[in-house]
Amino acid sequence: MTDFATQVDNHIAQLRAPELSASGKLVRVVGLTLEAKGIIAPLGAHCQVENLDTGAFIDAEVVGFHNDLLYLMPFTEPSGIGPGARIWVRSNHSKASLGNAMLGRVVDGLGQPLDGKGPIDYTDQLGLEGLPINPMERGPINQILDTGIKAINSCLTLGQGQRIGLMAGSGVGKSVLLGMLTRNTKADVVVIGLIGERGREVQEFIQQTLGEEGLAKSVVVAAPANVSPVLRLKATNLSHLIAEYFRDQGKNVLLLCDSLTRAAHAQREIGLAIGEPPTAKGYPPSVFALLPKLIERAGVGRRGVGSITAVYTVLAEGDDRADPIVDIARASLDGQVMLSRELADAAHYPAIDLSGSISRVMNSLLSPEQLKSANLFRRLWTLYQQNQDLIQVGAYDAGANQDLDEAIRLRPQMEALLQQSSDESVSMDNCHAMLQQLTAVQS
């Protein structure tokens, strides 16, 4: 088997091959795509299109081809270009510059700084797709990750290197919960991908959630909703590549991607623009190939060295938990935290719905006693939720079900355990102590 270091050297050498200077001409613009002839380039190639009005150049990427016709998608608005505009191939590969100097910086999908702090001193260069890890070489998830959030620590315990989804409709509290995870979770490096969200949220997240201390160990990759779908997808890949870069240095990385759904939307725009057939909710097949590929880039590193704990927000459009993106994320991730609009409307924050949430590595992280307490708590909470209507209208007769009687009695304490203010942090030990105390009588 080829040594991993040799693979990396060969990969970098390939990316640093001389840039090509072949040129062609633009023949047509259809919707989001530019069509060119007289030029040969592979998928993912970086091209530049001449602006006939100003003589400047517009960056674009090859997203498809048909016979001798290339389909390109520009990074910015292609105003000023016209028929016959010349096109040059600048690079055959989608690549990114990397380095430790990225810590504390805010960059766009191309790695260009957005924070006005000057250029970044990059030291390395790798392809955006990264290098896959042999699944037999991955280390196990065997260390608990303390998130500082009572509901997650006690009933949905996470591990270092786990991939988890925060799933909910709009306005239920995904971004607030993501901010709590950012502040409370202990990690060597935090990589934050703000993909396709509102532009104003970028500065708010940095100033109000991260602060100067949090930003010092973080890298923020921002591609708001108004940028090209190609740039949004590049920003998603760049976020994962940066996380992989620090993980391979042996560091424990927290990767926060807000949101996985917006990355899927970007791929949908690209796929439909080049003629892919729409399937469920208009998503082309390439979307369902993209998401598992992204998710598999996170996790524990080779032979247990370093880890990427990934948290993805997933938008359930119309509060539909059977939404195709929610469904494939749920199948690909190591667990999910479902947020409930009913709990949010009742001012129960964070609005975590235990009946739809799960951590698939929890059983291997907790002691038998801790696991027993967590399962008992979940059973009582779910039992109350299932009979809530009967209880509220007075149709339930006390004594008919001993477990339900206990769930009714403990309801105020259970709600207190699951609720938490956004600026509060509770350690893992304290969470389990509270949980065991609450369930001691019943067990």
Side-chain angles (χ1 to χ4, degrees):
M1 181 183 293
T2 305
D3 184 77
F4 177 67
T6 305
Q7 291 182 37
V8 173
D9 291 341
N10 293 340
H11 191 58
I12 294 174
Q14 183 184 31
L15 293 171
R16 289 177 175 170
E19 294 183 343
L20 304 181
S21 57
S23 65
K25 289 189 176 182
L26 182 69
V27 295
R28 192 166 66 153
V29 177
V30 182
L32 299 175
T33 58
L34 314 178
E35 297 182 2
K37 280 190 174 181
I39 189 171
I40 297 175
L43 289 176
H46 179 198
C47 300
Q48 287 187 317
V49 185
E50 182 183 26
N51 186 317
L52 297 177
D53 288 344
T54 64
F57 294 95
I58 295 173
D59 290 309
E61 182 174 303
V62 177
V63 294
F65 62 88
H66 179 70
N67 294 328
D68 61 343
L69 191 66
L70 277 187
Y71 300 127
L72 299 93
M73 190 163 286
F75 295 170
T76 56
E77 185 67 28
S79 56
I81 64 173
R86 289 178 296 175
I87 299 174
W88 286 267
V89 178
R90 294 308 186 196
S91 171
N92 264 347
H93 304 276
S94 294
K95 53 189 178 180
S97 299
L98 302 162
N100 292 334
M102 299 184 79
L103 291 172
R105 303 301 300 271
V106 183
V107 299
D108 63 12
L110 299 175
Q112 301 298 319
L114 294 174
D115 50 15
K117 297 180 180 178
I120 300 173
D121 184 19
Y122 293 115
T123 56
D124 297 285
Q125 195 174 62
L126 287 172
L128 275 178
E129 300 298 324
L131 287 171
I133 297 179
N134 184 330
M136 295 300 294
E137 295 183 358
R138 280 193 183 272
I141 300 175
N142 53 18
Q143 295 187 41
I144 291 177
L145 182 74
D146 188 349
T147 64
I149 300 172
K150 291 188 291 184
I152 294 178
N153 279 352
S154 57
C155 299
L156 301 166
T157 308
L158 304 183
Q160 285 186 3
Q162 186 172 354
R163 292 83 53 91
I164 197 82
L166 305 182
M167 303 179 179
S170 57
V172 181
K174 296 187 302 299
S175 297
V176 174
L177 185 55
L178 193 71
M180 293 174 69
L181 286 168
T182 306
R183 288 190 299 271
N184 300 339
T185 304
K186 293 178 175 60
D188 299 324
V189 175
V190 180
V191 180
I192 303 160
L194 301 176
I195 313 299
E197 297 298 324
R198 293 174 284 271
R200 67 169 179 81
E201 292 183 340
V202 177
Q203 191 167 5
E204 284 182 8
F205 193 90
I206 293 168
Q207 293 181 349
Q208 298 178 13
T209 301
L210 280 179
E212 291 186 8
E213 184 179 350
L215 182 60
K217 66 170 185 178
S218 303
V219 182
V220 180
V221 182
N226 62 324
V227 305
S228 162
V230 174
L231 279 184
R232 277 178 266 150
L233 209 53
K234 279 184 171 293
T236 308
N237 280 308
L238 179 60
S239 302
H240 286 73
L241 182 64
I242 295 170
E244 290 171 325
Y245 178 77
F246 287 106
R247 177 197 62 193
D248 292 341
Q249 295 180 17
K251 296 180 179 179
N252 293 317
V253 181
L254 177 64
L255 169 64
L256 307 171
C257 185
D258 186 16
S259 71
L260 194 65
T261 305
R262 303 303 184 193
H265 288 176
Q267 182 61 43
R268 178 171 63 181
E269 291 178 46
I270 295 171
L272 295 178
I274 61 176
E276 272 195 87
T279 56
K281 279 201 171 180
Y283 290 104
S286 60
V287 171
F288 302 106
L290 169 72
L291 300 186
K293 186 178 178 181
L294 278 175
I295 291 167
E296 282 301 312
R297 296 179 67 174
V300 180
R302 183 174 276 98
R303 300 179 185 90
V305 177
S307 67
I308 301 174
T309 303
V311 181
Y312 300 94
T313 62
V314 183
L315 176 65
E317 297 183 359
D319 291 328
D320 180 13
R321 294 191 176 186
D323 179 88
I325 302 304
V326 173
D327 195 48
I328 192 171
R330 191 162 45 210
S332 303
L333 292 164
D334 299 323
Q336 68 271 350
V337 177
M338 305 294 295
L339 303 184
S340 164
R341 189 172 298 278
E342 289 74 18
L343 290 174
D345 290 342
H348 179 114
Y349 296 110
I352 296 175
D353 184 3
L354 291 182
S355 60
S357 305
I358 189 173
S359 171
R360 292 192 172 96
V361 303
M362 181 174 173
N363 289 1
S364 61
L365 295 173
L366 297 182
S367 68
E369 293 77 13
Q370 291 172 331
L371 191 60
K372 182 180 179 182
S373 296
N375 288 338
L376 176 57
F377 184 97
R378 288 174 61 96
R379 183 161 63 86
L380 294 177
W381 176 268
T382 304
L383 187 61
Y384 185 96
Q385 294 291 96
Q386 292 171 345
N387 295 274
Q388 187 171 10
D389 292 340
L390 290 175
I391 297 168
Q392 290 180 344
V393 300
Y396 172 71
D397 294 327
N401 185 313
Q402 184 178 355
D403 287 341
L404 185 53
D405 290 341
E406 190 68 8
I408 295 172
R409 185 182 71 83
L410 293 176
R411 183 68 177 185
Q413 294 97 305
M414 289 193 292
E415 287 184 334
L417 178 62
L418 295 180
Q419 293 184 59
Q420 184 174 341
S421 63
S422 60
D423 58 354
E424 182 184 1
S425 178
V426 183
S427 70
M428 179 68 68
D429 291 339
N430 288 338
C431 288
H432 283 299
M434 288 187 286
L435 181 63
Q436 289 178 335
Q437 182 180 6
L438 191 151
T439 58
V441 176
Q442 177 71 9
S443 59

